[in-house]
Structures are given as C-alpha cells and as structure tokens.
Amino acid sequence: MYEDRNDTLENRARSLQENGGAGSYLSVLLGSNSFKDFISRSMAVNEIVEADQQLLKSTEKVQKKVSKQKKAVTKKLEQLESAKAELEEMSEALAAQQQQKKTLSEQLKVKLTNQQVAQTSLADQQAALSNQVQSIEFAMTKEQQRLQAEEQQKAEERRNAQVSVPVENPVTQPATPSVPEPNPTAPTPPAEQIPTTPVTSHSSVLEAGSTLIGRTVYKFGGGRTKTDINNGLFDCSSFVHWAYAQIGVDLGNRGWVSTETLKNKGRAVAVSDMQPGDLVFFDTYKKDGHVGIYAGNGKFLGCQGKSGVAYADMTKGYFKKKFNGRVRRI
C-alpha cells in the first residue's frame, strides 16, 4: 500500500510540476475546508515535494549514468573507428604485398624458364664441344699412329739399305754424319736431350722451360713427336712434359701426355703452399683443360695460344678466373 501511495504521490508530483509547479502546491493548501483538511493537505504536499525531490535526484542519477555510458560508448566507437581504419590500411598493405608476390613469382618463372633454356643451350654447346674435342683427339691419335708407322718404315728402309751395301774394305772408317741445313723460318729450340744426371731442384725446370720463350708456337696436340719439338710446336701439357724431361723427371709416355695424365702426377698441394716448379691447372675449354708450371709471385710458365711458351699472371684477368685450385707437386 505504501509503495502504491508513493507511486501515486510521484504521479501527482509530476502532474503538479507539469501544471505549474510550486504555485499549484499553494493552491492546494489554500483550498482546504478545515484545519484538519489543511493538515492533511500539508502532509500530502510535503510527501509530494519529497517525492518530487526523489524523482529529481533519481533523474539526475540516471542522466549522469546515461552521460557516463554515452562517453564510454563514444570512446568505444572512436576506438572501433580507429581499429577499422587500421584494419583497412592493413588490408590494403596485404593486397599490395600479394600483388608484389604475384609479380615476383611471375618474374621468377620467367627467369627460371630463361635459365632452363640457357642451360639447355649450354648443354648442347658442351656436347658439341665434347664431340669436337673427341674428334680432334681421334684425329691426333690417327696422325700419331701414321707418323710412328712412317718413322718405323723409314727406319726399316735405312736398315735394309745398310745391309744391301757391299763392303769392299774390311777396315771401315766411321761415317761422317750429314748435318741438315738450318731452316731460317722455323724456331730452333734445343734438342730434346735428357741429362745423364737428373737435376733435383724443381726451380731448374723453370730455367729449362724458359729457354723456349719466344722460340715456340702453340699447336694443339703438338710436342709429341721429334719433328714438332724440333720445330718448336707444343701445347700446354707437352711443354710441361718436355721441361721436366730436361731435368730428368719422366712424366710418362710423351706421345700420350695430356692434362688428364698430368693432374694425377705427384701429390696434391694447397694453394697457400705453392712453390716454384709445382703444376697448376685451369678450367678452360674443359675442367683441367690447361696446365702450367708455377713460377712464384702469382706467375706461371706455360704454352698458351697466342704467345707460345711464356710467363702469365694468374692473379688477375683470364687465368685468375680460370684457375681451379688444383696444384700438384712432382
């Protein structure tokens, strides 16, 4: 009942406030018929005023609460707007990264395709070069066999001629060997003679090899016959073989010497421990395709294409790029 009365008083207070506020309260008191009615009305007005004050306080609390919630909602909304903007920016950056990744992927595919084409072309070139080298080596072998057969035939003819000559005087004098006339246009390297007493110093091989500087011409497959040697025709491996032969070191059959046979001679040496006289190898037209004799200070002595036998620098330029680190000490 009390709660119902308070509700009624609050409703009445609202009505009084809407219809004139405090002036209406006074009209209620003055309109009493008796003192008892005045007291009753005074109590009612007092309760209405208290109810009105409570209503105002309640309204203020609600307004403060609503204002506080509004601020919180506004702040939250601002945070959401900021997060939304950041998310949109991240989304745009991600889209740009994906596009860049796609572009890079396409570029990589193109590069891989070009690389595969280049590798295929290089493989074809290497195969063609290998076939060419094999053909040259086969031709060299046939030519060497032909020259050996020719020399054997000439030697046989000389022996037969000596047997067929009649001997009139039992006391024979030693024949004077005929000296061939020199050819002024051909290089005149020293005769291929191996010393009776081998020289053990490997630096001597450089002294022996340097005697051919300016007196030789590079010939692929040359230097494997006496005719080539007498005419100063060498390639890299036959020159190394000849130079070591001059100090009494046999590097195998002269007719079959190559970089492949030389790269396994002696023992391996580290690049940092190279000494004059060591063999150094280069990857030119093939792996270990060129060989020379290390001379110290980054130089080596070898028989190269245009210069013939000459010193070359292996610390720069072509031979620096081609040096493969293989060093053999004989």
Side-chain angles (χ1 to χ4, degrees):
M1 292 295 291
Y2 182 76
E3 293 177 355
D4 293 339
R5 184 179 180 185
N6 285 338
D7 292 337
T8 300
L9 290 174
E10 289 181 2
N11 291 331
R12 190 179 299 170
R14 290 193 190 96
S15 177
L16 290 172
Q17 188 176 15
E18 292 172 358
N19 293 325
S24 297
Y25 296 154
L26 185 57
S27 299
V28 171
L29 292 176
L30 294 177
S32 58
N33 296 324
S34 63
F35 181 75
K36 183 178 180 180
D37 186 28
F38 177 80
I39 296 301
S40 178
R41 290 190 179 196
S42 297
M43 294 176 63
V45 168
N46 185 49
E47 291 180 0
I48 291 172
V49 171
E50 290 179 356
D52 189 24
Q53 291 176 348
Q54 291 178 0
L55 180 61
L56 290 174
K57 290 180 179 180
S58 177
T59 301
E60 290 177 355
K61 290 181 179 181
V62 171
Q63 288 177 346
K64 289 181 179 179
K65 184 176 181 180
V66 169
S67 177
K68 185 176 181 180
Q69 291 178 346
K70 183 179 179 181
K71 290 181 180 179
V73 170
T74 302
K75 185 176 180 181
K76 188 67 176 178
L77 183 60
E78 291 176 352
Q79 292 177 349
L80 290 175
E81 289 292 337
S82 177
K84 179 182 177 182
E86 185 177 356
L87 182 61
E88 290 177 351
E89 184 178 355
M90 291 175 61
S91 178
E92 292 176 358
L94 180 61
Q97 290 178 357
Q98 289 177 345
Q99 181 62 34
Q100 184 180 11
K101 181 180 179 181
K102 182 179 179 181
T103 302
L104 291 175
S105 178
E106 292 175 353
Q107 293 176 352
L108 181 60
K109 289 181 180 179
V110 173
K111 288 182 179 180
L112 288 176
T113 301
N114 294 337
Q115 185 178 8
Q116 290 175 354
V117 172
Q119 288 177 347
T120 301
S121 176
L122 181 60
D124 294 339
Q125 293 177 4
Q126 289 177 342
L129 182 60
S130 178
N131 293 334
Q132 185 179 1
V133 171
Q134 290 178 359
S135 299
I136 293 174
E137 290 177 348
F138 179 76
M140 287 171 52
T141 302
K142 297 295 290 184
E143 180 65 15
Q144 290 171 359
Q145 292 175 352
R146 186 188 68 79
L147 291 174
Q148 290 176 355
E150 185 177 340
E151 289 182 357
Q152 291 177 357
Q153 183 178 1
K154 289 180 179 180
E156 184 67 24
E157 290 176 355
R158 287 195 296 270
R159 286 195 297 271
N160 293 336
Q162 292 174 357
V163 172
S164 61
V165 174
V167 180
E168 296 180 357
N169 189 351
V171 179
T172 59
Q173 298 294 329
T176 302
S178 60
V179 179
E181 296 182 0
N183 185 355
T185 61
T188 56
E192 185 190 26
Q193 297 178 352
I194 299 176
T196 304
T197 304
V199 181
T200 57
S201 173
H202 283 179
S203 61
S204 299
V205 73
L206 294 169
E207 297 177 5
S210 63
T211 61
L212 296 185
I213 295 177
R215 305 170 66 187
T216 58
V217 176
Y218 179 86
K219 176 187 176 182
F220 187 83
R224 288 162 178 78
T225 65
K226 291 184 177 180
T227 301
D228 279 352
I229 293 173
N230 291 334
N231 287 282
L233 303 177
F234 290 89
D235 63 9
C236 62
S237 53
S238 64
F239 163 70
V240 170
H241 185 282
W242 181 91
Y244 265 95
Q246 305 315 298
I247 65 170
V249 178
D250 184 9
L251 295 182
N253 190 330
R254 182 187 66 193
W256 298 99
V257 65
S258 67
T259 55
E260 292 298 317
T261 62
L262 293 178
K263 74 179 185 180
N264 295 317
K265 295 292 184 180
R267 61 183 177 88
V269 176
V271 174
S272 59
D273 191 34
M274 286 191 301
Q275 296 179 5
D278 292 341
L279 302 188
V280 288
F281 291 80
F282 305 84
D283 293 342
T284 51
Y285 73 96
K286 68 172 185 175
K287 184 172 180 61
D288 299 313
H290 188 65
V291 63
I293 305 171
Y294 185 64
N297 298 322
K299 303 292 192 302
F300 74 95
L301 182 65
C303 188
Q304 285 72 244
K306 294 182 179 180
S307 61
V309 175
Y311 284 99
D313 194 341
M314 57 190 291
T315 63
K316 61 183 179 180
Y318 178 79
F319 286 109
K320 179 181 179 181
K321 296 178 181 178
K322 297 299 182 180
F323 179 51
N324 62 17
R326 186 189 298 276
V327 183
R328 305 292 296 188
R329 181 162 299 163
I330 304 303

